[in-house]
Amino acid sequence: MVSAGAAVGSGTSPRNHDPLPGFRTRMIPLLLAALPAPDHSTFGRHVAAIGDVDGDGARDFVVAEPREGKLWAISTRGPRLLWARSAPGFASNVRGGADLDGDGAEDLLVAATDARVFALSSSDGRTLFEVAGPEGFGRALAFAGDLDGDGTADFLAGSAKGARLLRGRDGTALCELAAERTVLDAVPIADRDADGITDLVTVFVDGGMAWYASCERTLHAIELDETRVVAVAGLGPDRFALALTSGLRVLSTGDFETLARLETWDEAEVVNEGDVQLAAGDLDGEGALELFAGWDEHAVARGRVVAYRPGTWKRTFHQDGRPDGWHFGIALAIVGDLDEDGIADLVVGEDGECSRTPGAVNLLSGKDGRFLRTLTRADIDRMAPLRR
């Protein structure tokens, strides 16, 4: 009598018997080959808001593809291509937020992998000036207010060995900060010492923060032994937000005390710089700065964007990434009012690295987070440049 499942006429045990010899060997490679290959695109890795380049009443934005060294400026309401730049190693980091050439529109800082930082005009993408620095120069970029009193916002460029404060007018150095420490990010905050110059909070990859009143004076320094900072955002003169490996908090600029705990998460979920992105802005023109946090898929499957109401800091909405998306929330910026409801909207990046779908930039409603428009690299490649 042969028991059920035993091999007949063979010494092969039921555990090792293959009812269709060679099936796995032949078919699995064919099935894997039929799946789309990973896209490996970094399109959408960085986004930044710029001025209203095309004069339609809405702030526009740029989107980067660092792997290919490409940067595109896109009309928020168009959508249409305003200008494009490309060079090997270009656009490894991007930051907008200040008018450097005096034309009234917010310009850009763009880093390259060869340790150069470029100041670009948002109107046409031309280089205003460039600055070279040490290895990793430009890994952190931040506008820092007018530190030298010449009427133009200055900026910080960080490297693996500290940071440099530079004049926004021409890129010449003001001073070196945080020697031998790797700078993650910096934001201009309040004029804490009432000297008429905006102060600067700098956060470090190894944990901790420093508050600089000027090149010569550090007002406050704090080391964080049990958690690390992964992102920072200014929320006006009296408070700022920190994304930590342990959660998201709002702190006082006066004494660094925690005012509100917005999120708490397991440190295994948020372990890398870039896992959380923060942005803040006055979306409705009433003077209060809303806070937005983008979490890519390391923290939340597919990624998520969350909005918080100023004052109470309660969630006003959250929007998860598309089912087939990847790294949704890896980049975040506040742009113009696309749907013309009187509230500024958001641009959210999602790159396609390690994914089987291409990267994209998504325009979300600043009111409720719904998707207004999604643009892929293919969409932008089909756009004709703006005629001037």
Side-chain angles (χ1 to χ4, degrees):
M1 180 176 179
V2 178
S3 61
V8 180
S10 169
T12 305
S13 68
R15 182 183 298 274
N16 296 325
H17 174 61
D18 187 346
L20 296 174
F23 174 80
R24 294 179 180 86
T25 302
R26 295 193 307 271
M27 295 303 297
I28 290 178
L30 294 175
L31 291 171
L32 292 174
L35 294 172
D39 184 82
H40 297 306
S41 169
T42 56
F43 177 81
R45 172 73 56 84
H46 302 297
V47 298
I50 56 178
D52 177 13
V53 175
D54 54 1
D56 63 359
R59 294 172 76 199
D60 301 313
F61 66 93
V62 295
V63 54
E65 213 296 12
R67 187 184 297 276
E68 297 182 15
K70 294 185 177 181
L71 183 72
W72 299 265
I74 307 297
S75 169
T76 297
R77 285 185 178 167
R80 55 179 171 269
L81 178 65
L82 301 172
W83 51 262
R85 286 282 303 265
S86 65
F90 194 62
S92 60
N93 194 10
V94 180
R95 181 63 63 93
D99 177 17
L100 300 178
D101 57 5
D103 66 355
E106 299 165 57
D107 297 314
L108 287 168
L109 301 172
V110 181
T113 55
D114 62 359
R116 287 187 295 166
V117 171
F118 298 81
L120 302 187
S121 168
S122 64
S123 64
D124 54 14
R126 73 185 186 280
T127 298
L128 301 174
F129 57 82
E130 64 179 83
V131 185
E135 180 182 358
F137 191 59
R139 60 169 290 134
L141 294 171
F143 284 104
D146 183 10
L147 300 177
D148 59 358
D150 68 354
T152 301
D154 303 311
F155 66 96
L156 175 145
S159 71
K161 296 185 176 181
R164 189 178 298 173
L165 282 173
L166 303 115
R167 289 185 173 87
R169 187 176 296 277
D170 56 14
T172 55
L174 289 168
C175 64
E176 303 281 341
L177 299 177
E180 303 306 318
R181 296 189 75 177
T182 302
V183 175
L184 170 65
D185 204 354
V187 292
I189 315 250
D191 179 14
R192 190 178 184 188
D193 58 348
D195 64 353
I197 299 175
T198 300
D199 301 330
L200 186 71
V201 166
T202 301
V203 297
F204 306 106
V205 169
D206 59 3
M209 302 177 289
W211 191 306
Y212 296 98
S214 67
C215 287
E216 293 78 26
R217 290 190 300 131
T218 303
L219 290 179
H220 194 77
I222 184 171
E223 299 301 322
L224 303 173
D225 296 329
E226 298 179 358
T227 188
R228 290 187 297 111
V229 179
V230 294
V232 59
L235 294 172
D238 57 356
R239 56 199 173 198
F240 65 104
L242 281 183
L244 307 161
T245 52
S246 60
L248 180 59
R249 305 179 191 175
V250 174
L251 289 83
S252 164
T253 58
D255 53 15
F256 285 3
E257 289 298 313
T258 297
L259 301 175
R261 296 178 184 270
L262 282 60
E263 305 286 347
T264 300
W265 44 64
D266 189 316
E267 292 199 19
E269 297 175 338
V270 179
V271 296
N272 301 311
E273 53 184 285
D275 281 357
V276 179
Q277 300 291 326
L278 299 179
D282 178 10
L283 272 65
D284 55 13
E286 295 183 356
L289 298 182
E290 287 89 349
L291 176 65
F292 299 88
W295 306 337
D296 77 13
E297 95 295 341
H298 294 296
V300 178
R302 302 198 315 268
R304 174 176 294 170
V305 171
V306 183
Y308 303 92
R309 187 183 309 279
T312 65
W313 304 113
K314 302 295 185 182
R315 286 189 179 190
T316 56
F317 68 76
H318 79 263
Q319 178 61 263
D320 288 344
R322 299 172 299 165
D324 60 347
W326 192 264
H327 283 187
F328 179 79
I330 198 170
L332 185 64
I334 297 169
V335 293
D337 180 9
L338 171 60
D339 55 0
E340 300 187 62
D341 63 354
I343 297 174
D345 298 314
L346 307 175
V347 58
V348 179
E350 56 175 300
D351 72 17
E353 192 171 27
C354 304
S355 171
R356 298 184 185 278
T357 58
V361 284
N362 303 277
L363 287 154
L364 305 186
S365 165
K367 181 178 181 180
D368 55 23
R370 72 186 185 282
F371 283 87
L372 300 175
R373 179 180 294 147
T374 296
L375 297 173
T376 66
R377 166 71 181 277
D379 294 327
I380 291 176
D381 285 343
R382 288 191 291 266
M383 293 180 184
L386 176 67
R387 293 185 178 181
R388 299 180 183 276

